[in-house]
Amino acid sequence: MSKQTFRDRLQTGAPILADGAMGAMLHQESQARADACFDAMNVEDPEIVLAVHKAYIAAGADLIATNTFGANSFKLASAGRAQNLELYNRRGVELARLAIAESGRDDVYIAGSVGPLGVGIYPYGRLSQAEAQTAFAAQLFALASAGVDAIQFETFSEHKELLLAISVLRELDAELPIIAQATFYHENLSYAGYPPARVANDLYRTGADVIGVNCGSGPAGIAEVLRQMRYAVPDAVFSAMPNAGFPEVTGGRILYPASAEYFADCATTFVNIGATVIGGCCGTTPEHIAAMRGALDQPSADFVDLHIGEIDIHHGDHDPDHPTELAERLNDGAFTVTVEMAPPRSYHTEQLLAIARRLRAAGADLINVADTPAARMKMSAWAVAHLLQTQIGIEAVLHFPTRGRNMLRVQGDLLASHALGLRNLFVVMGDPTRIGDFPDASDVNDVAPSRLIDVIKQGMNKGVDMAGHSIGKPSSFTVGCALNMGADDIDRELRALRNKLKAGADFALGQAIFEPERIQRFHERYEELTGADFNLPVLMAVMPLHSLRQARFLNNEVPGITIPDSILERIADAGDEARREGILIAQELLDEMMGLIQGAYIIPGGDYDAAAEVVAYLKRDRIAGAA
């Protein structure tokens, strides 16, 4: 009976035990320097590599990784061995296969180990994207050609490099299974400041068979990261491979404190959290893996939770010196899709987070969080935006109304937003309290939206408050303004826009338009008055209609929205299929607006499933292919 494919084995759901450290074992067995080129031992000391593989198989490993972690052109070049790239990778696979054959087991899988290139990729290093792709392609082609069962990407502290490596593999081989593992450090953030939830979502969307975490910390830290990743993407298949604690240098040797017995508890902990592939990283030995094997082979054993207290979801900022994803997308000219969500009218957030996961899975790049829409009492928009970023891993745009805040409150709230990692703001006047739940509530308005944009961009982002006093380190907000490109009085709209542009607005959220030709007229009038092209990025609001009643309400009672008779007739004629017709209309409008806008701002009107359909349409047919 032939062995199951690795992908079929994953689908059984039974735990798969991977091996432990390779480099540390080779360092120990060969007495080589810790910075030696261990990949070269596949050719120069193959018996040592073979012995390590066999020891892990004897310990009970179901999956062994090739000794090729650093066998890419850049790391090999630093050791003067770049010419041997294909040889080291091919020989690494051959040694793993030989170890399996000599062990007498026919149920062990081979993962081709691939690590980071060791050189930063632009804009954070000297390598271009093309150079990085070429380097990954050379190693991945060698491993795939040698016949591995899967590719194991591991110890990627910059997850965008990991995403790039995965895309290269998919170009070379669309079917080879992928284990994609990121590494997190201080406060459970990646090197670029991304939390586990964001990384998990990005990896899951690549279609990797297994996503997870390795290295960086010991079992307790890895367990916490794993929880956050699984919370963000509950449908994924996960891996967890911790170090044997934090290393200590004693007598010139690097020692790891975690015992094999402790790792036996780790095995059941990781499975309990939801990991399918488990193993070890730096400092782990065949003894650690054997202990994990023993624990896994006792299904009745108690699950031991290594975590003390509640999940410590990261509450800090992404690296405040690193641009937000929105800022990067605006700078790159990438088409950006965001969906508006209203906070709940309670303190329960389960449904809201579930909806956000669906929108993220559909392809939404960001979520806009409205602040007291229609002056209705809702949960704080800050809290919702913070939960989305920390638990779902999707970046938020926080609506920041000036209404209801005096100058002291405005500036204090801005500092609080930045401290919570909420650095994308949509500055707007806000809805008057007289139309909402508490018409007698204070409606103070010390500062207009254009003035607040100036306070943020020309003041706080340069390190001072409205009075010119230092706030310490400058903030790094990305700020949007409101824009109605379909206004009947375009000149009046342009006068208001001029102040917002002068203040430094980075983008605009456009009022919903049901007649795309109005956008062209806006561009033409702007050029007539200024003599320049209109180049402010606009994320255009799109509202999927779901009924004739809704369409009539928007057309008759919402200022700034005009729905032509042709669309009203289509909705009316659709009858019970009005919702489906509304989705089609939204998709058609976006098709017509392409080239005139830089993104879509989907306003669901309570129908988040319809919003998800529009998002998926955009990503599938307009953006994903172009990328």
Side-chain angles (χ1 to χ4, degrees):
M1 182 176 174
S2 61
K3 179 175 68 176
Q4 287 179 298
T5 66
F6 182 67
R7 189 169 280 127
D8 286 342
R9 175 70 169 77
L10 283 173
Q11 290 176 353
T12 68
I16 297 174
L17 181 61
D19 57 10
M22 174 58 76
M25 290 293 295
L26 295 178
H27 169 58
Q28 175 181 310
E29 297 299 322
S30 68
Q31 300 300 306
R33 288 166 50 92
D35 59 353
C37 181
F38 291 115
D39 309 283
M41 295 179 68
N42 291 338
V43 173
E44 298 170 9
D45 289 297
E47 291 302 321
I48 296 178
V49 178
L50 183 65
V52 173
H53 282 319
K54 291 170 71 173
Y56 280 123
I57 294 171
D62 305 308
L63 175 71
I64 59 173
T66 57
N67 178 39
T68 56
F69 174 76
N72 65 67
S73 57
F74 290 103
K75 285 189 174 180
L76 292 178
S78 67
R81 300 169 184 270
Q83 71 278 9
N84 295 325
L85 183 150
E86 192 277 335
L87 174 63
Y88 291 161
N89 282 283
R90 174 172 50 79
R91 187 58 177 154
V93 179
E94 291 172 352
L95 288 171
R97 187 175 293 116
L98 180 60
I100 293 171
E102 293 187 358
S103 73
R105 288 181 58 187
D106 61 0
D107 60 345
V108 179
Y109 299 91
I110 299 173
S113 174
V114 176
L117 297 177
V119 183
I121 301 172
Y122 181 83
Y124 310 111
R126 61 182 176 83
L127 286 191
S128 68
Q129 293 273 328
E131 289 172 322
Q133 289 170 328
T134 298
F136 279 124
Q139 183 181 11
L140 290 167
F141 180 78
L143 291 170
S145 299
V148 295
D149 296 301
I151 292 294
Q152 180 169 298
F153 295 106
E154 50 188 333
T155 321
F156 279 76
S157 57
E158 172 48 82
H159 92 287
K160 290 190 176 180
E161 182 180 5
L162 176 52
L163 296 175
L164 177 67
I166 293 171
S167 70
V168 170
L169 176 58
R170 281 297 177 235
E171 287 291 324
L172 291 172
D173 189 327
E175 299 301 323
L176 194 58
I178 293 174
I179 302 170
Q181 297 185 130
T183 298
F184 301 85
Y185 296 105
H186 180 61
E187 293 187 327
N188 290 335
L189 297 178
S190 71
Y191 179 77
Y194 293 107
R198 163 67 187 279
V199 174
N201 270 292
D202 286 352
L203 294 178
Y204 184 62
R205 291 169 66 182
T206 68
D209 298 83
V210 181
I211 66 173
V213 53
N214 81 294
C215 204
S217 64
I222 294 295
E224 181 180 333
V225 170
L226 178 62
R227 282 186 181 88
Q228 294 185 38
M229 296 181 89
R230 188 169 187 272
Y231 190 94
V233 194
D235 294 332
V237 178
F238 291 96
S239 65
M241 301 182 188
N243 292 341
F246 291 94
E248 300 173 335
V249 178
T250 303
R253 297 183 62 197
I254 301 175
L255 302 177
Y256 288 81
S259 68
E261 292 75 19
Y262 185 60
F263 263 67
D265 290 340
C266 297
T268 51
T269 296
F270 293 147
V271 172
N272 188 35
I273 295 171
T276 297
V277 180
I278 62 173
C281 200
C282 300
T284 55
T285 66
E287 288 73 26
H288 291 87
I289 301 305
M292 297 175 86
R293 177 81 276 162
L296 291 177
D297 288 344
Q298 298 180 39
S300 61
D302 292 335
F303 285 166
V304 178
D305 192 343
L306 299 177
H307 186 70
I308 299 175
E310 295 298 321
I311 296 176
D312 183 18
I313 294 174
H314 172 63
H315 286 277
D317 192 0
H318 292 177
D319 180 358
D321 295 324
H322 190 279
T324 65
E325 180 181 3
L326 175 59
E328 289 182 329
R329 296 186 69 87
L330 295 173
N331 184 64
D332 295 341
F335 195 94
T336 299
V337 181
T338 180
V339 181
E340 181 176 289
M341 294 191 73
R345 196 182 178 91
S346 75
Y347 57 82
H348 295 291
T349 60
E350 293 83 357
Q351 183 179 14
L352 176 138
L353 294 175
I355 292 170
R357 288 192 191 96
R358 292 206 304 273
L359 294 172
R360 176 75 177 182
D365 299 303
L366 303 109
I367 298 292
N368 270 65
V369 182
D371 190 315
T372 56
R376 305 298 187 196
M377 194 283 291
K378 302 278 188 178
M379 178 187 284
S380 163
W382 300 356
V384 171
H386 185 54
L387 288 171
L388 292 174
Q389 292 195 168
T390 57
Q391 295 193 21
I392 305 301
I394 188 168
E395 200 166 276
V397 178
L398 175 65
H399 288 208
F400 198 97
T402 62
R403 195 185 299 274
R405 291 180 167 111
N406 62 31
M407 287 190 291
L408 287 173
R409 169 93 185 276
V410 163
Q411 294 170 96
D413 287 353
L414 287 169
L415 294 176
S417 298
H418 204 285
L420 290 173
L422 309 176
R423 296 187 288 134
N424 300 317
L425 303 176
F426 171 52
V427 174
V428 66
M429 179 70 76
D431 295 320
T433 58
R434 66 177 181 274
I435 70 171
D437 294 331
F438 301 94
D440 295 330
S442 173
D443 208 12
V444 64
N445 179 32
D446 277 0
V447 57
S450 58
R451 173 60 179 136
L452 181 54
I453 294 171
D454 183 75
V455 168
I456 298 168
K457 295 292 293 184
Q458 312 307 324
M460 288 192 160
N461 276 10
K462 295 181 180 179
V464 296
D465 65 13
M466 292 177 73
H469 300 143
S470 172
I471 62 169
K473 192 174 183 179
S475 59
S476 53
F477 288 110
T478 298
V479 184
C481 64
L483 176 63
N484 184 5
M485 301 180 82
D488 291 331
D489 188 345
I490 295 180
D491 288 4
R492 179 181 178 183
E493 187 71 19
L494 286 173
R495 286 194 295 272
L497 176 63
R498 181 173 55 197
N499 293 330
K500 298 170 186 178
L501 292 174
K502 183 178 179 181
D506 298 296
F507 69 98
L509 294 183
Q511 173 72 284
I513 286 181
F514 290 87
E515 299 167 292
E517 60 272 16
R518 286 177 175 253
I519 302 176
Q520 187 61 50
R521 291 203 297 268
F522 180 92
H523 278 259
E524 292 170 355
R525 184 56 177 162
Y526 181 89
E527 292 167 14
E528 288 176 7
L529 294 177
T530 66
D533 292 337
F534 180 73
N535 55 20
L536 179 69
V538 176
L539 311 186
M540 180 57 65
V542 175
M543 305 176 70
L545 302 172
H546 55 75
S547 69
L548 181 60
R549 179 179 179 183
Q550 177 211 22
R552 285 174 172 167
F553 171 79
L554 293 173
N555 189 48
N556 290 284
E557 298 193 39
V558 178
I561 292 183
T562 301
I563 301 178
D565 290 342
S566 59
I567 289 181
L568 292 173
E569 290 170 3
R570 284 180 62 179
I571 294 295
D573 292 344
D576 292 341
E577 294 297 315
R579 177 180 177 276
R580 171 55 48 194
E581 190 68 18
I583 293 172
L584 292 175
I585 290 170
Q587 294 170 349
E588 292 169 10
L589 289 172
L590 284 164
D591 284 341
E592 293 181 51
M593 290 188 283
M594 286 296 167
L596 297 173
I597 58 175
Q598 286 69 52
Y601 167 43
I602 312 300
I603 302 177
D607 189 346
Y608 290 103
D609 288 338
E613 282 197 53
V614 176
V615 171
Y617 173 82
L618 281 169
K619 285 294 181 176
R620 180 177 63 247
D621 295 339
R622 292 290 174 180
I623 302 166

